[in-house]
Amino acid sequence: MKVLIAGGRGRVGSKVADLLEQNDVEVVSGGLDDGVDYIQGTGVAEVLEGVDTIINVLNTGRFDKEGAVDFFEGTTRALSAAGERAGVKHHILLSIVGVGEGDASEIGYYLGKVAQERALKEGTLPYTIVRSTQFQSYVPVLADQHTVEGKVMVPRDLIQPVELDELVALLGEIALAAAPLGEVEIAGPERFHMDDLLRGTLAASGDTREVITVESDGPIDAMVPRGEYRMGSVLYPVREIPTAD
Ligand SMILES: NC(=O)c1ccc[n+]([C@@H]2O[C@H](COP(=O)([O-])OP(=O)(O)OC[C@H]3O[C@@H](n4cnc5c(N)ncnc54)[C@H](OP(=O)(O)O)[C@@H]3O)[C@@H](O)[C@H]2O)c1
């Protein structure tokens, strides 16, 4: 089996590449550092030669609606169309819990992921969308993203972070099984309130930023699974944070 990891040198992609290589899969990395650009169309046909499965773990630093939609929609359409021409049999896309059908969020980045899922579904390649909650290691980044003038302004929304290796294991499993599943979700074993989680995480690392609870601008369960999902088993590393249940 030959797998193209679009974004294969990124945080998720590099770990998936290691896992698949340990399972004797031929892995090709397709990202900017590999000379492949799905926006410009550079090197895309070449990198897809002989590929059976695409794992799409591309990412952008654009969090505004226009930038995120352009990136996620454009790269996914380009990959799907080139994949169809190359005879790819399975397109696996990493998405986020909370951007599925019926879920609504006005956050620009999330709208980009909604557009990405739609672009995948409009193509003809058999697909699996893997929606993950936030990675446990990403929680400090969330604190930075919510920091305004030195204070962390965050709602009491629910959050259920997953350990990255457990997501990577699921992506690897789905690629190796070579049987498109449609849509699957994964989350960690514990549900927290986001303000509690950030407060406890910052305190544990000696970060003195104050965390201020602000009013939520949407449903408080928008970021946690609402239906069936794969539950990881790795507990959040900071243990003294109250859970939400
Ligand atoms: N962080 C979370 O908690 C979380 C939760 C759920 C889902 N996700 C999803 O996980 C996915 C992967 O995230 P990540 O943190 O692994 O991303 P990352 O480390 O930023 O990696 C992104 C990859 O995309 C490549 N790339 C960017 N623009 C490209 C272009 N125009 N053409 C070709 N390659 C391009 C980069 O290539 P170079 O390395 O060569 O620059 C890089 O390898 C994202 O889609 C994100 O939405 C994240």
Side-chain angles (χ1 to χ4, degrees):
M1 176 191 278
K2 185 171 175 182
V3 174
L4 165 67
I5 305 184
R9 295 181 194 276
R11 190 185 350 231
V12 179
S14 55
K15 279 178 167 271
V16 178
D18 289 347
L19 180 102
L20 290 178
E21 276 165 356
Q22 283 158 20
N23 283 276
D24 299 324
V25 172
E26 186 184 351
V27 176
V28 195
S29 175
L32 295 173
D33 281 351
D34 305 293
V36 183
D37 188 332
Y38 303 99
I39 297 286
Q40 304 298 329
T42 322
V44 181
E46 292 81 350
V47 85
L48 275 162
E49 269 169 35
V51 164
D52 302 292
T53 299
I54 297 169
I55 302 181
N56 180 348
V57 286
L58 294 168
N59 203 9
T60 177
R62 293 284 300 266
F63 279 72
D64 61 298
K65 179 180 170 187
E66 195 189 343
V69 168
D70 278 358
F71 177 83
F72 283 120
E73 192 173 49
T75 52
T76 299
R77 275 198 205 293
L79 255 174
S80 286
E84 284 162 23
R85 288 192 291 274
V88 168
K89 302 177 197 79
H90 189 187
H91 189 163
I92 301 170
L93 171 66
L94 177 56
S95 190
I96 304 181
V97 166
V99 307
E101 213 67 53
D103 289 320
S105 168
E106 287 310 307
I107 300 169
Y109 186 86
Y110 271 41
L111 292 172
K113 299 295 285 186
V114 170
Q116 184 183 35
E117 289 196 8
R118 196 183 315 117
L120 178 78
K121 289 176 180 174
E122 283 170 4
T124 60
L125 290 182
Y127 65 83
T128 304
I129 295 172
V130 178
R131 293 197 198 100
S132 169
T133 54
Q134 290 68 32
F135 313 145
Q136 292 179 354
S137 53
Y138 194 73
V139 171
V141 182
L142 278 178
D144 295 342
Q145 287 172 348
H146 285 83
T147 299
V148 182
E149 293 175 358
K151 292 186 174 160
V152 184
M153 315 292 284
V154 68
R156 216 168 147 64
D157 291 356
L158 296 169
I159 183 165
Q160 199 172 336
V162 67
E163 212 275 323
L164 179 53
D165 285 343
E166 295 194 296
L167 163 68
V168 167
L170 177 61
L171 288 170
E173 206 179 286
I174 290 170
L176 290 167
L181 293 174
E183 298 169 29
V184 295
E185 299 200 343
I186 180 169
E190 297 162 297
R191 204 168 265 204
F192 302 96
H193 289 288
M194 201 161 152
D195 53 351
D196 291 341
L197 182 70
L198 296 195
R199 208 170 275 125
T201 302
L202 293 182
S205 68
D207 190 320
T208 55
R209 267 177 293 172
E210 188 183 354
V211 176
I212 298 180
T213 305
V214 299
E215 204 171 315
S216 183
D217 57 7
I220 70 155
D221 63 348
M223 293 192 303
V224 294
R226 290 166 170 167
E228 275 183 35
Y229 65 99
R230 161 89 65 106
M231 189 190 285
S233 62
V234 178
L235 300 177
Y236 190 67
V238 180
R239 293 309 309 146
E240 52 277 4
I241 302 172
T243 54
D245 17 68

